[in-house]
Amino acid sequence: MNLELGVYTFGNTPRTADGGTGATALAVRDALEAVRLADEVGLDFFGFGEHHTASMPLSSPTAMVNAAAASTRRIKLGTTVTVLSTDEPLRVFEQLATAAAIAPGRIETVAGRGSSPITFPLFDFDENDYDMLYASKLDLLIAANSSDRITWNGPHRQRPLVDATIVPRPEQPLRIWLGTGGSPESVLRAVETGLPMFLGILGGTPQHWAQYGHAYRDAWDQVGHPADDARIAVAVHGFVGTDGRQAKATYLEHELRMFQIGAAETGRPAMSPSGREAALEPGGMVFAGGPNEIADRILHLHQLLGHDRQILQMDVGGMPHAIYLKAIELLGAEVLPQIRKELG
């Protein structure tokens, strides 16, 4: 069974000499440099997430996918995630279909609800409509992906669509993943809609997340979906360095800074740093360390979960860009070959 390996980013704004926030435009350019390197070193996938903060400023992942489509040759690209509740699903589809015209067969999207309510006031939506907006917009996105002419009505629209033409069309339908942080309701929604499941993971254990995989596949089988379509992707925090101990220390420092800055930017309580070190060790779900350890831990999770793709967020907390690029290089040159050899 093949296991794809890749990277995702929300953008990583560099820090200034006094510890402040640098230019957000540079974070965009850095992300595009990173995806070009990921393509060169043979990684399978690169994803662009959506945040609307100064420290993680990739607010338009579909725009990033289009830019990356024009500057890469073989790597698969996607949004990870598009915050669909506060976006326009037809526009999301049109933008990704445009990218698919540039890079046929390489474009995907993860449709999620988002981990922060920051986009609701920003785009003038009512947070009380959280569930309705997501369910209705997801249904419309699936409809647009299924046919070039759609007649559709749902609660988030004031007027129905009647024989509306949605162009351009990708030469094959886009793969749409349902993004979830692991709620049972989202697992069932993925099954009901017939979508592959994308798990966004910040903590827990491999055994814990394997339970979600088993629940998804069991429910999938019960409703009679084709077994080969029950795909699972895993997005985790992680980092690869030549020295495992130093890699853990480097990532822990920048990850904790990311949590602190992110909490301040979104008005949330700061995440307590106590005990986070354990998540970076075997048995945890932060994949930071040397190439051999990371390969072993990914293979162990694959043995339990049987997932089809694992992607790592490595550029966090203002991590210097050169260090991030080296980690991408190691992931492609040293970790990926071990996984290919073991599973090949």
Side-chain angles (χ1 to χ4, degrees):
M1 180 180 183
N2 188 35
L3 173 62
E4 295 181 339
L5 186 62
V7 178
Y8 72 108
T9 181
F10 290 97
N12 179 44
T13 303
R15 304 175 73 215
T16 57
D18 61 0
T21 300
T24 53
L26 183 55
V28 172
R29 294 192 290 272
D30 284 348
L32 292 176
E33 182 181 11
V35 71
R36 289 191 292 271
L37 177 60
D39 190 35
E40 291 172 7
V41 299
L43 291 174
D44 299 297
F45 181 84
F46 197 103
F48 300 96
E50 179 179 347
H51 270 310
H52 298 258
T53 61
S55 64
M56 292 188 284
L58 295 193
S59 58
S60 181
T62 52
M64 297 299 296
V65 169
N66 271 276
S71 61
T72 56
R73 294 177 298 152
R74 52 158 298 279
I75 194 167
K76 294 178 183 177
L77 305 163
T79 68
T80 54
V81 302
T82 289
V83 182
L84 196 60
S85 302
T86 54
D87 212 330
E88 167 48 59
L90 293 182
R91 179 63 74 187
V92 167
F93 176 81
E94 290 172 343
Q95 291 169 338
L96 292 172
T98 301
I102 300 168
R106 294 201 281 132
I107 306 302
E108 307 178 3
T109 185
V110 178
R113 294 191 287 186
S115 59
S116 167
I118 192 172
T119 57
F120 284 84
L122 185 64
F123 297 116
D124 198 23
F125 288 98
D126 188 342
E127 192 178 345
N128 292 321
D129 295 332
Y130 187 92
D131 291 322
M132 177 276 288
L133 288 169
Y134 181 65
S136 181
K137 292 183 176 187
L138 178 62
D139 189 59
L140 179 53
L141 180 64
I142 293 171
N145 194 42
S146 301
S147 176
D148 60 343
R149 302 185 74 87
I150 60 173
T151 296
W152 187 92
N153 193 23
H156 82 274
R157 287 184 63 96
Q158 294 184 15
R159 290 179 291 275
L161 291 162
V162 180
D163 198 28
T165 300
I166 312 298
V167 291
R169 303 304 304 177
E171 287 148 311
Q172 61 192 61
L174 302 175
R175 175 171 289 168
I176 300 172
W177 300 77
L178 187 139
T180 174
S183 73
E185 294 80 10
S186 293
V187 173
L188 293 176
R189 176 173 281 155
V191 172
E192 290 168 356
T193 53
L195 296 180
M197 182 172 66
F198 176 94
L199 289 169
I201 297 172
L202 286 178
T205 66
Q207 291 77 12
H208 169 82
W209 291 104
Q211 294 176 8
Y212 283 94
H214 298 323
Y216 170 70
R217 290 198 173 96
D218 289 345
W220 188 273
D221 290 341
Q222 288 173 14
V223 300
H225 291 317
D228 289 345
D229 293 341
R231 296 177 179 271
I232 298 174
V234 172
V236 297
H237 281 197
F239 180 76
V240 187
T242 52
D243 178 84
R245 181 175 296 181
Q246 183 58 50
K248 287 181 170 66
T250 297
Y251 194 74
L252 183 64
E253 173 193 350
H254 289 92
E255 189 197 50
L256 292 178
R257 183 182 296 122
M258 180 203 74
F259 284 133
Q260 293 162 357
I261 294 172
E265 289 176 325
T266 59
R268 289 180 166 186
M271 177 178 174
S272 172
S274 61
R276 186 63 177 173
E277 296 87 348
L280 280 68
E281 300 296 335
M285 286 299 293
V286 179
F287 290 71
N292 294 340
E293 178 186 349
I294 298 309
D296 289 343
R297 290 183 59 193
I298 291 173
L299 288 166
H300 175 64
L301 178 63
H302 181 68
Q303 184 179 30
L304 296 173
L305 179 58
H307 55 309
D308 302 270
R309 174 182 294 165
Q310 182 159 341
I311 57 176
L312 282 66
Q313 183 186 4
M314 301 196 289
D315 59 335
V316 296
M319 178 182 290
H321 189 54
I323 295 177
Y324 173 46
L325 294 180
K326 181 61 178 178
I328 291 176
E329 183 180 333
L330 289 170
L331 191 66
E334 298 195 25
V335 178
L336 182 60
Q338 293 187 53
I339 291 173
R340 288 284 184 269
K341 181 179 179 180
E342 183 68 25
L343 298 180

